[in-house]
Structures are given as structure tokens and as C-alpha cells.
Amino acid sequence: MIITNNKLMYQERLIHAIQKRIGQKKSILEAISQALEISYDAAHRRISMKSKFSIEETVKLAQHFGISMDTTFQGADQVLVKKTKEIKSLTDLADYFDQSIKSFSDYKRSADTTLFYSAKDIPLFYLIESNLLSKFKLYVWSNLLNFEKEETKFESFQVQAPLSLKTQKMRDFYQDISRHEIWNDTTINSTLQQILYFFQSGLLAAETARLLCDNLLELISSVEEKCTAKNEQYKLYYHELLILNNNVLISDTEQMSLFVPYTMLGYFITKDLHTCQNVSDFFQHQLKNSKLLNKAGTRDKKMFFNKMYQKIAFFKNQIEAITEF
């Protein structure tokens, strides 16, 4: 009996959420009938609590009306999350990108969709290009996630074609939306350290290591070029104090999604409205405490990027010194 009452309570919550979504002027009977492709009589039985929504119907309604099941069925201190696929091989990595693309597909590729990125590391979207640096990051991930059972030199590492196709879709999505990225002085550190580490380990040739530094220099230069006052689609912020964490928030006029890292590439994903709104408010507050480099003076902007260039030059000089020794 208690279970039945709980089910009715949840059903009432869902119906209330649908009515709120469509507005009082629209017929909830017609809306549910069309969404579930059932008769008016069958829809009426569900609205009047004479019949219960099945699990499949509940999920279908939530998806159709863009309703967060987290918010509807959980308390304020509980959040339902999905997580990205566990990655144990390059095939899993391809599936990971595929799942990410599906997560983004809920959002239109337009300026109305906004992405906020707290860049502890260089954002993933920059590192899935078809160049040497992108191949190196895949190599790093494969090593750190233990894809390779034996140590393989970077120059022998092969990237699967399907993986390249999937990353292209992610790049396309990123290029078509409005982006707000928060960086600081340490954002490029891990990539530089990885280049030096694999070079010192004998798994990366000196000439390749130098080319990777050049690739990174080109990447930062391209970021500087698009960081202009006229570029409303891309905004780069410099935050001196905030400890960045690679959190990602995507929103449009109807919904929001929060991606919270729990491993190197693994993310928890939630659409809980209350949680996402809190994170959105936090991002907005941090943006106010950051320096918008797009509209900063020439001196401030140059100081930020010159720090990046100097770090790259320092690591490249270390590689040169070790090579000469």
C-alpha cells in the first residue's frame, strides 16, 4: 500500500511538472496523449490516477518535455547523475566521445547555447584536432588509463580512424556555440609536464618533443588571436585566485547540464535544475571576479599570453639542454 501511494505521489509530481512546462492554457490531456502516442481515454486514466505511468512512459515524458527527473523525484539534497563510460581501451575512448556527442545533442548548435569551462587543463575541445599534439594527448591518456600493456614509443602509436571521426563532431559542436572559458597561469602546466616526462622516459624522441612544444605554442597563439573584443562567441577570462577543476556547464533557453570530473576523463552528468542553477550562479560570480581578456588592455592581455609563451620556451630549452647533454 505504501509503495502504491509513493507511486501515485511521483505520478502527481510528474503531471504537475508537465503542466508547468506546457503552461495552463494548453491541454495536458492532449500533451500526454501526443507524447505517449496513446488515446485521450488512456491519457485521461493516467491523469486521473486510475492508471500508472510505466517506467518507459515516465522516461519518455521526461525526455519529451525536457523535465529533470532529478528535480521531480528527488529532494533538494539528492541529485541523480549519469556517468560517462569507463575507459579501458581506445575502443572505449571512441565510445566515450560518442556518448559525449549524444549528451551535447540535446542542445542546438547555435549562439543560444552557452558553455562555461573551468579550465584546470587545456579544454578537451582544443586537444581533439587532427595534429601531432592531439595524437600525443591520446597517447598520454592511453598510458595513464593503462590501455597499453607494454610500453610503446609515441612514434609507434596509432590512432584509430573512427576515433578521429567522433572527435570531429565534438569540435564542430564546440565551434558553433557561445563559450566562456576561465583560465589561469597553470592551465597549460600538465601538457608541458607530460611532454617532458615522456621525453625523459625515452618514449618520445627529442625532435618530436620540440615539435609538440611548437604545436602547443601554435595552439596558445590561436587562442590569443580569437580573444578579441569583437568576438562575442568566444570569451576568455583570467582568474588569479580560483582553483579551477575542469567543470563544464552547458545551457540554452530550456535546459542545463553540468559535467563534473571524477577521473581524468570520466565525468558525472546531471541536469538537476537546482544544482545547475547554483553552478551557473557560481560561474557568473567568478566571471565578475575574473579579467575578461577579450576586452582587457593590451598590457594585461600580453602579460597573460607571454607567461604561456615563456613557459613553453622554458620547457623547450630543458629538452634542448638534456639532448645536448
Side-chain angles (χ1 to χ4, degrees):
M1 185 68 179
I2 294 176
I3 295 175
T4 303
N5 286 339
N6 280 341
K7 287 183 177 179
L8 288 177
M9 178 183 67
Y10 293 144
Q11 184 152 325
E12 289 172 341
R13 288 184 186 179
L14 180 57
I15 291 170
H16 176 73
I18 295 171
Q19 186 69 73
K20 187 176 180 180
R21 175 68 72 178
I22 66 176
Q24 294 297 325
K25 294 183 179 180
K26 293 185 178 180
S27 167
I28 190 169
L29 179 67
E30 182 177 359
I32 291 178
S33 174
Q34 292 178 351
L36 296 180
E37 298 179 331
I38 58 177
S39 67
Y40 276 28
D41 183 58
H44 182 268
R45 286 199 300 273
R46 287 160 175 76
I47 294 170
S48 62
M49 308 298 167
K50 294 178 180 177
S51 296
K52 301 182 183 70
F53 290 127
S54 67
I55 293 175
E56 290 78 11
E57 289 175 337
T58 302
V59 172
K60 189 173 183 179
L61 288 170
Q63 291 176 337
H64 181 84
F65 293 104
I67 294 169
S68 169
M69 294 178 68
D70 307 39
T71 304
T72 305
F73 301 127
Q74 297 291 319
D77 60 343
Q78 299 182 58
V79 176
L80 294 175
V81 299
K82 295 191 298 182
K83 68 175 183 176
T84 52
K85 181 179 177 64
E86 300 295 339
I87 305 172
K88 297 180 180 178
S89 67
L90 283 175
T91 301
D92 289 342
L93 186 57
D95 292 340
Y96 165 85
F97 285 126
D98 193 43
Q99 182 183 356
S100 299
I101 293 165
K102 290 178 180 177
S103 296
F104 297 147
S105 65
D106 292 339
Y107 297 86
K108 297 177 181 178
R109 283 166 47 184
S110 71
D112 291 333
T113 300
T114 304
L115 179 145
F116 296 89
Y117 203 122
S118 175
K120 176 182 178 182
D121 304 303
I122 298 173
L124 179 65
F125 300 99
Y126 292 101
L127 300 171
I128 50 177
E129 299 285 343
S130 299
N131 60 22
L132 187 68
L133 183 59
S134 298
K135 180 182 175 183
F136 176 69
K137 294 301 289 190
L138 290 173
Y139 173 75
V140 171
W141 295 332
S142 72
N143 275 270
L144 294 179
L145 293 170
N146 197 30
F147 296 171
E148 305 293 334
K149 301 304 179 184
E150 299 180 2
E151 290 185 343
T152 303
K153 288 191 174 183
F154 171 67
E155 286 75 15
S156 302
F157 179 68
Q158 298 296 322
V159 179
Q160 298 174 343
L163 191 59
S164 300
L165 294 174
K166 293 179 188 298
T167 56
Q168 176 64 49
K169 291 181 180 179
M170 288 189 67
R171 292 197 300 273
D172 291 344
F173 173 83
Y174 177 73
Q175 292 298 326
D176 291 339
I177 63 174
S178 176
R179 290 100 66 197
H180 298 260
E181 296 174 8
I182 304 176
W183 290 36
N184 64 22
D185 296 337
T186 65
T187 297
I188 68 169
N189 284 8
S190 62
T191 299
L192 284 168
Q193 190 60 46
Q194 288 160 2
I195 294 172
L196 184 62
Y197 171 85
F198 283 100
F199 166 66
Q200 291 177 325
S201 300
L203 298 173
L204 183 65
E207 180 58 29
T208 307
R210 287 191 287 266
L211 288 173
L212 286 169
C213 288
D214 291 340
N215 263 202
L216 183 56
L217 186 68
E218 292 170 6
L219 188 158
I220 300 303
S221 179
S222 69
V223 173
E224 183 178 8
E225 286 178 9
K226 68 181 180 181
C227 180
T228 64
K230 293 182 179 179
N231 191 348
E232 290 295 326
Q233 191 174 11
Y234 175 78
K235 294 183 179 180
L236 180 65
Y237 298 81
Y238 172 47
H239 201 305
E240 296 184 68
L241 299 177
L242 182 66
I243 299 175
L244 305 176
N245 54 12
N246 288 332
N247 275 359
V248 180
L249 180 71
I250 304 177
S251 65
D252 60 19
T253 55
E254 297 180 354
Q255 59 186 326
M256 290 188 283
S257 295
L258 173 64
F259 297 74
V260 179
Y262 70 94
T263 60
M264 185 174 58
L265 287 176
Y267 277 85
F268 291 123
I269 308 169
T270 182
K271 286 190 173 184
D272 175 64
L273 183 60
H274 181 71
T275 301
C276 289
Q277 187 59 58
N278 281 340
V279 174
S280 178
D281 293 342
F282 177 78
F283 265 113
Q284 293 300 331
H285 180 68
Q286 297 311 318
L287 295 184
K288 291 178 182 178
N289 292 317
S290 304
K291 187 171 292 181
L292 177 57
L293 295 175
N294 297 60
K295 297 184 178 180
T298 302
R299 175 180 173 276
D300 289 336
K301 183 175 175 180
K302 282 296 182 183
M303 282 182 63
F304 174 79
F305 283 103
N306 283 342
K307 286 180 183 178
M308 301 283 185
Y309 298 141
Q310 289 165 8
K311 281 188 178 183
I312 296 170
F314 174 79
F315 273 79
K316 192 173 181 181
N317 287 337
Q318 280 192 293
I319 293 168
E320 297 286 1
I322 295 171
T323 303
E324 291 175 3
F325 180 78

